[in-house]
Amino acid sequence: MTRLIAFLSMLLAYALGLSAQQTISIDSCRSMAERNNRQLAIGRVQKDVSKNIRKSARTKYLPRITAVGGYELMSREISILSNAQQGVLNNLGTTAAGAISGMLTQDIMSLVQQGVITPDAAMAIQQQLGGRGEQLAAIGNKVGQTVTDAFKTDTRQMFAASVMVTQPVYMGGALTALNRMADIQESMAENSYEKQCHETRYKVDNTYWLVVSLSHKLALAKKYHELLRQLNGDVEKMIREGVATKADGLKVAVKLNESEMTLTQAENGIALARMLLCQQCGMPLDTQFTLYDETQESLPAVQGQEERTDIATALVMRPEIRLLEDVVALSGQMTRLTRASYLPQVMLTGGYLITNPNVYDSFHRSFAGLWNVGVMLRVPVWNWFDGAYKVRAAKGAVAMARYQLQEAKEGVELQVNQERYKLQEALRKRKMAESNIESAEENMRCASLGFHEGVISSTDVLGAQTAWYQAQSQRIDAEIDVRMCRLALDKALGVMR
């Protein structure tokens, strides 16, 4: 039961989706195209990237905290005493005992020579002093070894860690330039996205009205074909009655065949145009739909709205102009950034350093550290005018960007005027086409009455019907041309909606 309900729900949703796709407005086509256009998707990602870059640039004003730690194992330890010094200390007792023994021996021999003591007594004294000297040497060597051991650092395993805080104080204006560049890049991403939106809408609108135009022409071709079919039937009856010639019938038949070919071409053209619209809107190429303006018997009239053709409006609203203005501003900030790298820079530093062994307590195996604060100053002294050359090059880039902006503004002004003239011309053509329709309809009505009364030939009726068909086709072309010109003018003004 649950599966049946789910299946019915899916069928209902599919049916609702089909019914929703049966009639599509121009706004719906725009929305689908903007959702499915890959370039617009890239533009949205680029906007998000620029936004995060701007946020990152803001953090450059804040203090930076860096922590570093490490461990190192070495095959030998750091020695404060040299090998010779260690040898002297380790043999301190032996050296001292030998020196004392030599001095005492000289004194005893002097006493023997003076007859103060006998040689036997001197030998006995030397034997007693020799035993004492060995004891003194052992004690002295032990004291020297103790001093040598005290100077050992035990630095074969070393631990160190540091936390450093840096705060920029003056960086030559580099941080300010960097943040302004990030703002400009975000603006450029926004303008680029808007430009792509305008291009997408313009293409979709063109294709939309192309489909509408072909649809109305197809309906007109069917009406024309029906008129020719009726006329062909009437002529065939007249031929059988002997009041018309076969030549009259052949003329009508040729026109009827031509109208069938026109119907086939119109059907193929509208099928291809629908596929193109499906591609632009991100729909499958075989999607079946009907455009809203296809269902209208006649296209609603579009006015010129001359008040919208202001050049100042175009220079403000066109995303291309804003993009070039951003390029000029970005080039200016690049100049400031280049100049800042050759100016003095000041930073405050502070941190805490901890080590093991303790270098502040005779390399004992323990952790100990110290705080430190300082000021770092970087001043470029001489670079063989490298900074001046780079600043001049950056200024040249600014000048080129300004020339490009000026040229683009002149191009926009020319484009707006051209599109305005085209719109005015299209409006005049539409007015002429409407007046031609009235004449063509009256001519066809009179020809039809005259034909049925027998006072006008089939050739005249055929000519009247052909003139009516051409007038109706020209009216459709003129109406669509007005819309296309209005669309192009809106794009030139940057006010597409």
Side-chain angles (χ1 to χ4, degrees):
M1 186 65 180
T2 305
R3 292 183 178 179
L4 179 60
I5 294 174
F7 180 70
L8 292 176
S9 300
M10 290 177 62
L11 286 179
L12 179 60
Y14 181 73
L16 290 175
L18 287 179
S19 62
Q21 291 181 358
Q22 286 180 356
T23 303
I24 303 177
S25 65
I26 190 170
D27 292 333
S28 300
C29 291
R30 283 182 172 185
S31 299
M32 287 188 291
E34 290 177 1
R35 285 197 305 268
N36 298 307
N37 188 281
R38 291 184 178 86
Q39 292 300 321
L40 289 180
I42 294 174
R44 286 190 287 270
V45 174
Q46 185 60 44
K47 286 170 59 178
D48 186 63
V49 170
S50 301
K51 181 179 180 180
N52 287 308
I53 291 176
R54 175 182 57 80
K55 291 181 178 180
S56 173
R58 295 291 189 272
T59 63
K60 304 300 181 182
Y61 290 112
L62 303 177
R64 298 280 172 169
I65 301 177
T66 305
V68 180
Y71 165 79
E72 190 170 1
L73 175 64
M74 294 182 289
S75 61
R76 298 175 63 184
E77 66 181 17
I78 298 174
S79 178
I80 298 176
L81 299 176
S82 65
N83 292 332
Q85 291 172 337
Q86 291 180 16
V88 171
L89 290 174
N90 291 337
N91 296 300
L92 179 63
T94 302
T95 302
I100 294 173
S101 176
M103 292 174 60
L104 292 177
T105 299
Q106 291 179 359
D107 292 340
I108 291 172
M109 292 301 296
S110 177
L111 292 175
V112 171
Q113 293 175 357
Q114 294 175 7
V116 177
I117 58 175
T118 63
D120 294 335
M123 185 174 293
I125 292 173
Q126 285 182 348
Q127 290 177 354
Q128 291 179 357
L129 290 176
R132 297 295 183 181
E134 291 178 359
Q135 294 179 356
L136 179 62
I139 293 172
N141 290 340
K142 185 176 181 180
V143 171
Q145 185 65 45
T146 302
V147 174
T148 302
D149 292 340
F151 275 98
K152 288 185 177 181
T153 59
D154 193 12
T155 53
R156 288 172 297 176
Q157 298 187 73
M158 298 186 67
F159 300 86
S162 173
V163 177
M164 179 68 69
V165 180
T166 58
Q167 172 62 58
V169 177
Y170 176 72
M171 304 299 291
L175 297 183
T176 302
L178 187 65
N179 277 270
R180 289 177 180 172
M181 289 173 63
D183 294 338
I184 295 170
Q185 289 174 348
E186 185 177 14
S187 175
M188 292 178 68
E190 181 69 31
N191 291 327
S192 179
Y193 177 76
E194 185 178 351
K195 178 178 178 293
Q196 189 62 39
C197 284
H198 285 192
E199 294 290 344
T200 302
R201 294 173 187 172
Y202 182 73
K203 291 179 181 179
V204 170
D205 285 10
N206 270 284
T207 308
Y208 178 92
W209 291 116
L210 175 62
V211 174
V212 172
S213 173
L214 293 175
S215 178
H216 281 268
K217 282 193 173 184
L218 178 61
L220 176 63
K222 289 179 179 178
K223 290 181 181 180
Y224 179 59
H225 180 74
E226 181 63 24
L227 290 174
L228 290 176
R229 191 181 63 79
Q230 293 177 0
L231 179 61
N232 185 59
D234 293 338
V235 172
E236 287 179 353
K237 292 178 183 179
M238 294 174 67
I239 292 173
R240 287 194 298 268
E241 295 294 332
V243 295
T245 64
K246 289 185 178 180
D248 295 331
L250 290 175
K251 291 179 182 179
V252 176
V254 169
K255 282 292 182 181
L256 184 60
N257 291 334
E258 290 179 355
S259 69
E260 290 178 354
M261 181 60 67
T262 302
L263 275 175
T264 302
Q265 292 175 348
E267 290 172 352
N268 293 337
I270 194 172
L272 293 174
R274 288 181 185 276
M275 290 182 183
L276 178 59
L277 186 61
C278 288
Q279 181 187 24
Q280 292 175 347
C281 294
M283 298 185 295
L285 297 183
D286 58 351
T287 303
Q288 300 298 322
F289 61 88
T290 300
L291 299 181
Y292 172 78
D293 289 283
E294 286 185 87
T295 61
Q296 308 299 313
E297 293 184 1
S298 61
L299 296 174
V302 177
Q303 302 301 324
Q305 295 187 4
E306 298 294 333
E307 66 275 4
R308 298 175 62 185
T309 59
D310 184 15
I311 302 300
T313 301
L315 296 180
V316 173
M317 300 299 296
R318 283 287 290 269
E320 296 91 337
I321 298 299
R322 295 203 298 271
L323 269 172
L324 290 175
E325 289 175 347
D326 289 337
V327 171
V328 173
L330 186 64
S331 301
Q333 296 303 322
M334 281 294 297
T335 303
R336 294 184 177 89
L337 186 63
T338 303
R339 183 184 293 111
S341 62
Y342 297 96
L343 294 177
Q345 298 176 356
V346 181
M347 296 178 62
L348 295 178
T349 63
Y352 185 77
L353 174 66
I354 186 172
T355 62
N356 185 352
N358 187 353
V359 297
Y360 309 105
D361 189 14
S362 189
F363 292 93
H364 285 174
R365 181 57 64 179
S366 62
F367 286 94
L370 78 161
W371 294 96
N372 62 83
V373 294
V375 178
M376 183 182 298
L377 175 63
R378 174 183 175 273
V379 181
V381 178
W382 182 252
N383 52 31
W384 299 101
F385 302 105
D386 177 63
Y389 298 145
K390 288 185 176 180
V391 170
R392 291 176 187 174
K395 288 182 177 180
V398 175
M400 288 189 294
R402 286 176 178 166
Y403 289 136
Q404 291 175 352
L405 175 60
Q406 187 62 33
E407 184 179 8
K409 287 182 177 180
E410 293 174 357
V412 166
E413 183 176 358
L414 177 61
Q415 183 182 15
V416 170
N417 288 323
Q418 288 176 340
E419 299 301 336
R420 182 179 61 189
Y421 294 145
K422 288 181 181 179
L423 178 58
Q424 292 173 354
E425 183 179 352
L427 290 171
R428 287 194 295 268
K429 286 183 179 180
R430 184 182 68 178
K431 188 175 180 180
M432 293 172 59
E434 291 173 350
S435 63
N436 290 338
I437 285 179
E438 296 177 359
S439 301
E441 288 179 346
E442 181 63 21
N443 184 33
M444 188 176 68
R445 186 184 68 82
C446 294
S448 298
L449 289 176
F451 178 74
H452 288 98
E453 294 294 333
V455 296
I456 293 180
S457 66
S458 61
T459 303
D460 295 332
V461 175
L462 189 62
Q465 290 179 349
T466 302
W468 172 84
Y469 172 73
Q470 291 176 349
Q472 291 286 353
S473 179
Q474 289 174 359
R475 184 191 64 83
I476 295 174
D477 289 338
E479 187 60 48
I480 295 298
D481 191 30
V482 169
R483 294 178 181 274
M484 295 296 189
C485 291
R486 265 291 310 281
L487 181 64
L489 179 58
D490 287 345
K491 184 176 181 293
L493 291 170
V495 293
M496 292 193 65
R497 294 177 177 85

